[in-house]
Amino acid sequence: MLETLIDRFGDEGVLMLAGALVGVIFGASAQHSRFCLRAASVELTEGGFGPRISIWFIAFSAGVLLVQVSISLGILDVSESRQLAATGSMSGAIIGGLMFGCGMILARGCASRLLVLSATGNLRAIVTGLVLTLVAQASLRGALAPVREALAGLWLVPGGQARSLLSQLDMSSPVAATGAALALASGFWLAHRSEVRVSHAVAAAIVGGAVGLGWLLTYAIAQSSFEVIAISSVTFTGPSTDTLMGLVNSTKLPLGFGVGLVPGVFVGAMSMAILTREAHIERFGPDTPMERYLIGAALMGFGSMLAGGCAVGAGMSGGAIFAITAWVAVFFMWVGAMATHLVMGRISRRDAVAV
């Protein structure tokens, strides 16, 4: 079937269709589940293990489980993925992760959450997302690229086994899949204890499933094509920059998985918001100062390019294939977010006392 589709639409067209399918699934389930790393980090900082953490934990565990089961069954091979085969940056993962975590607290959402919120009518998210995308583009190929390259070059990790966490731990995919299954069960238990709606918990698992589906579809297309195709999965900063630059800087939008993913997420989230009557316009206000959002967007734009991906691209997609830089990046995203939330809380309390 894939060969027929490739013959008809070409490699790029089929990749775009695959991205759109994964995007719709991810967008709808992320909107319904309230999937958000920022919300989970805030909850943990305030001393709770409640609904937000359970949602993120279910999504992450489900993604790892599907990917590692697929590898164990021999229907997926991620060894040639960029996150494992190419040289990685540990310094980029640490510094970029901290910057991204700080930024998502200031902007009240990571790259994926901003895209989902944009589809529900949140004008703050649209403006913040555009700034994030522009800074990411400047960090990738523009004026900020030399700074990013200098920071990334401080501590490099060669591709191959040195970048695989499973290889470093001498752990097989079946063992990793078993651990993920136990973690997923724990996540559902925590969700039940936290009185999370069943539909939200299931939607969170589908978020992780979309990440796994992305790896499976791009791998299947790569295996069916005569061209060399890089396998990938859900990530937002890079595809958002490619989509935006293609729209404003070219008469023809270059097709690919990411170009289908971004509008797919938007359509999926918007459809779910309309279906559940949660779509409404939100603007900047006295309690949501624009300057804080813009600073957060800039930090996330640069941080994501330095870290090798956003909270989903590095944290979920890279984490599911056990790229060591991805696990380090998402860990420091948590650290940066929690530290920033603590600082913001102290500033708020100080200002309240001063008044």
Side-chain angles (χ1 to χ4, degrees), residues 99-132:
M99 293 180 68
F100 192 94
C102 175
M104 70 180 180
I105 292 296
L106 296 176
R108 296 184 62 83
C110 65
S112 63
R113 186 59 182 164
L114 290 175
L115 180 57
V116 169
L117 288 175
S118 297
T120 69
N122 190 314
L123 302 182
R124 299 193 305 270
I126 293 176
V127 173
T128 306
L130 286 173
V131 173
L132 187 160

Side-chain angles (χ1 to χ4, degrees), residues 2-352:
L2 271 178
E3 289 83 357
T4 303
L5 289 174
I6 291 173
D7 289 339
R8 182 173 182 180
F9 299 107
D11 298 325
E12 294 81 5
V14 174
L15 282 169
M16 187 186 71
L17 292 174
L21 173 62
V22 172
V24 169
I25 295 172
F26 184 96
S29 54
Q31 163 60 20
H32 187 63
S33 66
R34 311 297 194 273
F35 169 76
C36 180
L37 177 58
R38 182 203 69 85
S41 64
V42 168
E43 187 174 81
L44 182 61
T45 306
E46 295 177 349
F49 282 85
R52 297 308 181 198
I53 290 179
S54 68
I55 291 295
W56 188 88
F57 201 59
I58 288 172
F60 182 81
S61 302
V64 174
L65 177 60
L66 178 55
V67 169
Q68 294 303 316
V69 166
S70 299
I71 294 173
S72 300
L73 295 175
I75 59 176
L76 176 64
D77 181 4
V78 296
S79 61
E80 296 301 316
S81 65
R82 174 185 60 83
Q83 292 93 327
L84 291 176
T87 299
S89 171
M90 197 68 78
S91 57
I94 295 170
I95 301 170
L98 288 171
M99 293 180 68
F100 192 94
C102 175
M104 70 180 180
I105 292 296
L106 296 176
R108 296 184 62 83
C110 65
S112 63
R113 186 59 182 164
L114 290 175
L115 180 57
V116 169
L117 288 175
S118 297
T120 69
N122 190 314
L123 302 182
R124 299 193 305 270
I126 293 176
V127 173
T128 306
L130 286 173
V131 173
L132 187 160
T133 302
L134 291 173
V135 174
Q137 179 66 19
S139 305
L140 181 63
R141 300 186 181 93
L144 297 176
V147 180
R148 175 186 59 80
E149 291 169 358
L151 292 174
L154 295 175
W155 183 5
L156 297 176
V157 182
Q161 291 189 348
R163 205 173 171 189
S164 171
L165 187 58
L166 290 183
S167 296
Q168 295 299 311
L169 297 176
D170 195 24
M171 184 185 298
S172 66
S173 288
V175 173
T178 301
L182 294 174
L184 181 59
S186 299
F188 275 111
W189 172 81
L190 179 60
H192 175 72
R193 194 190 71 170
S194 304
E195 299 182 347
V196 173
R197 288 172 54 184
V198 174
S199 64
H200 288 183
V202 172
I206 296 174
V207 169
V211 170
L213 181 61
W215 283 117
L216 285 165
L217 287 178
T218 57
Y219 177 72
I221 294 169
Q223 293 298 106
S224 301
S225 175
F226 291 107
E227 303 295 329
V228 177
I229 294 176
I231 65 171
S232 61
S233 187
V234 181
T235 187
F236 291 99
T237 315
S240 295
T241 60
D242 291 341
T243 303
L244 180 61
M245 291 302 104
L247 290 172
V248 302
N249 198 39
S250 176
T251 57
K252 184 178 180 181
L253 184 66
L255 304 182
F257 184 82
V259 173
L261 177 71
V262 172
V265 170
F266 191 92
V267 170
M270 182 174 61
S271 300
M272 180 60 71
I274 293 174
L275 182 64
T276 56
R277 298 182 180 180
E278 295 173 337
H280 60 281
I281 299 296
E282 290 190 43
R283 303 176 177 85
F284 288 102
D287 296 330
T288 54
M290 178 182 286
E291 60 272 21
R292 194 183 78 182
Y293 282 77
L294 298 185
I295 293 172
L299 287 171
M300 282 194 290
F302 185 84
S304 61
M305 285 303 174
L306 181 58
C310 61
V312 173
M316 296 274 293
S317 296
I321 63 174
F322 282 87
I324 191 169
T325 49
W327 281 71
V328 171
V330 75
F331 172 78
F332 280 97
M333 287 177 188
W334 280 87
V335 172
M338 294 173 69
T340 303
H341 182 69
L342 286 173
V343 171
M344 294 294 291
R346 289 178 181 177
I347 293 175
S348 297
R349 288 192 294 271
R350 184 193 64 190
D351 292 345

